[in-house]
Amino acid sequence: MMAIHSPLRSYQAMLFIPLPFVVALLLLILFVTVLRRDEEAQPNLPFLALILLALLQSVLSGLRWGYGVQAVGVIAPVTAAMVPPLAYAGVSRLVRTSRRPLAARIALHAVPAAVILTLMVVRRDVIDIALVLVFVGYALAILLLMRLGADALRLAPFEGAVPAYRAIIFAAVALCLSASVDIFVFFDFTWAHGEHALTLISVSNLAVLVILGIAAAAASRSRAPAEMVEAVPKSETTEDKETIATVDALMEAKKLYRDANLNLDRLARKAGIPARQISAAINRAMDKNVSQYVNDYRIGEACRLLAATQKSVTEVMFEVGFQTKSNFNREFRRVTDMTPIGWRERKGESGVSSASS
């Protein structure tokens, strides 16, 4: 029996690959995909670093819980404390340009990791509490940055604002989830001697890492739901009318909407009007965000091109400023309640009917 079971055990051991290593491999593929996708544009370095850090965390988790390498327990809390600052820094890159010098920003966001490293030496028993405060604090800070909805993403291209907005919210929720897990594990060790800790840590940490990785990948590309607009009074003012008239004239004369990388900050510079003023005017007067306003222009021209030319739907999509078919189709249906192909067919039939009569 020994001769039969011993090789079987060896064979099973050779096949054993902890799930965190599989997750790490998927995150590596995700990182390479994002890097190649953004090679022609300026990448969001904090988000790229966040994916790599999630990969590292997954590897450390596999070593600790899969192979019992306890030494990584010294590194894991410090690297974990670096996750929320990177998520916040990535969001900041899309929301605003910081006036602080780069060195000052790096030093500021390095504080959580430095605090955890210090606690590793002087008070290891409060590390879990410190990590919870770091994760919750940065999650609230991210949500504060995003309080204006899509229009908060001043430096994100309008064409990709919805996925970016949703990804950022998911990232903030993931940080809160991680903090909740740490709290539960703390009480589990206190009251149940860690009976459920291993399973909870393994499953939840991997879920958080995957969510953060995917969120960073989506947000790095960088549009928000229609209802997520700035909470401002809905009464239109004279200044609002003048602001919209200026932006309308710019859109019609310069065709700015054709720029796939157009964002609120760039639009504000072209118009010579503060970004917040443009956002508030469009929200009050039109009950929509700036992303939808710009896409309305894009869809308007797309409709004309589909009806008056023989250009393919893809050619029209790129010409009016869209980069992905999913965004183009979604916005086209929002504005016209039809698909691009359906619109062309309907207009073609209308043209034939008019010619016959």
Side-chain angles (χ1 to χ4, degrees), residues 2-336:
M2 288 293 292
I4 295 175
H5 291 293
S6 182
L8 179 59
R9 284 198 298 269
S10 299
Y11 182 66
Q12 289 175 332
M14 289 175 62
L15 285 180
F16 174 68
I17 300 177
L19 181 59
F21 289 164
V22 178
V23 173
L25 178 60
L26 295 176
L27 289 171
L28 178 60
I29 295 173
L30 180 63
F31 173 80
V32 173
T33 301
V34 173
L35 195 61
R36 289 181 176 177
R37 182 193 65 192
D38 294 342
E39 61 184 0
E40 296 180 359
Q42 185 177 2
N44 191 315
L45 295 180
F47 279 144
L48 288 175
L50 179 59
I51 298 175
L52 285 180
L53 190 60
L55 187 158
L56 175 61
Q57 283 290 97
S58 190
V59 170
L60 294 177
S61 178
L63 290 174
R64 182 174 183 181
W65 304 107
Y67 292 111
V69 181
Q70 298 301 317
V72 301
V74 179
I75 307 172
V78 179
T79 54
M82 296 167 62
V83 169
L86 281 176
Y88 180 87
V91 175
S92 296
R93 287 284 301 271
L94 301 176
V95 172
R96 64 180 178 222
T97 302
S98 176
R99 296 182 179 179
R100 292 193 184 98
L102 179 60
R105 280 179 279 155
I106 294 175
L108 178 64
H109 292 305
V111 168
V115 169
I116 297 301
L117 188 59
T118 302
L119 291 177
M120 293 289 292
V121 179
V122 298
R123 289 291 304 273
R124 295 178 65 93
D125 57 313
V126 298
I127 287 178
D128 288 338
I129 297 176
L131 283 175
V132 167
L133 294 176
V134 169
F135 273 67
V136 172
Y138 271 97
L140 294 176
I142 289 173
L143 292 175
L144 186 62
L145 284 181
M146 298 306 301
R147 66 189 182 279
L148 303 183
D151 291 348
L153 300 174
R154 289 172 46 189
L155 305 182
F158 291 127
E159 200 269 340
V162 159
Y165 176 85
R166 290 174 177 166
I168 289 168
I169 297 302
F170 275 127
V173 170
L175 293 179
C176 292
L177 174 62
S178 181
S180 301
V181 170
D182 285 342
I183 293 173
F184 185 89
V185 170
F186 174 79
F187 285 118
D188 186 57
F189 273 108
T190 302
W191 296 332
H193 306 290
E195 181 180 350
H196 309 97
L198 178 58
T199 300
L200 184 63
I201 290 173
S202 301
V203 175
S204 62
N205 280 359
L206 290 180
V208 168
L209 291 174
V210 169
I211 292 173
L212 284 173
I214 294 175
S220 69
R221 183 63 173 180
S222 356
R223 186 172 101 75
E227 67 273 10
M228 298 305 298
V229 295
E230 184 177 358
V232 294
K234 293 301 179 183
S235 55
E236 182 183 3
T237 66
T238 302
E239 184 183 59
D240 291 342
K241 294 179 180 178
E242 293 174 353
T243 298
I244 294 174
T246 300
V247 178
D248 279 343
L250 192 62
M251 284 289 182
E252 293 169 3
K254 301 289 187 178
K255 309 294 184 184
L256 291 183
Y257 54 86
R258 292 178 177 175
D259 180 4
N261 294 315
L262 182 66
N263 55 46
L264 180 55
D265 196 59
R266 186 179 300 181
L267 178 60
R269 289 199 306 271
K270 295 284 188 180
I273 301 173
R276 181 179 287 273
Q277 184 177 325
I278 293 176
S279 171
I282 292 174
N283 288 337
R284 277 192 289 255
M286 300 182 172
D287 197 25
K288 63 179 68 172
N289 56 46
V290 186
S291 173
Q292 292 171 322
Y293 166 81
V294 172
N295 284 336
D296 285 350
Y297 269 99
R298 290 171 170 168
I299 298 303
E301 181 167 356
C303 289
R304 291 191 292 272
L305 291 174
L306 289 170
T309 72
Q310 296 301 314
K311 294 180 179 180
S312 68
V313 172
T314 301
E315 288 176 316
V316 169
M317 176 190 79
F318 285 122
E319 185 169 336
V320 301
F322 286 98
Q323 294 293 298
T324 62
K325 286 187 177 181
S326 58
N327 283 342
F328 179 56
N329 290 334
R330 181 177 60 246
E331 288 300 288
F332 201 99
R333 186 177 290 276
R334 177 182 66 82
V335 175
T336 68

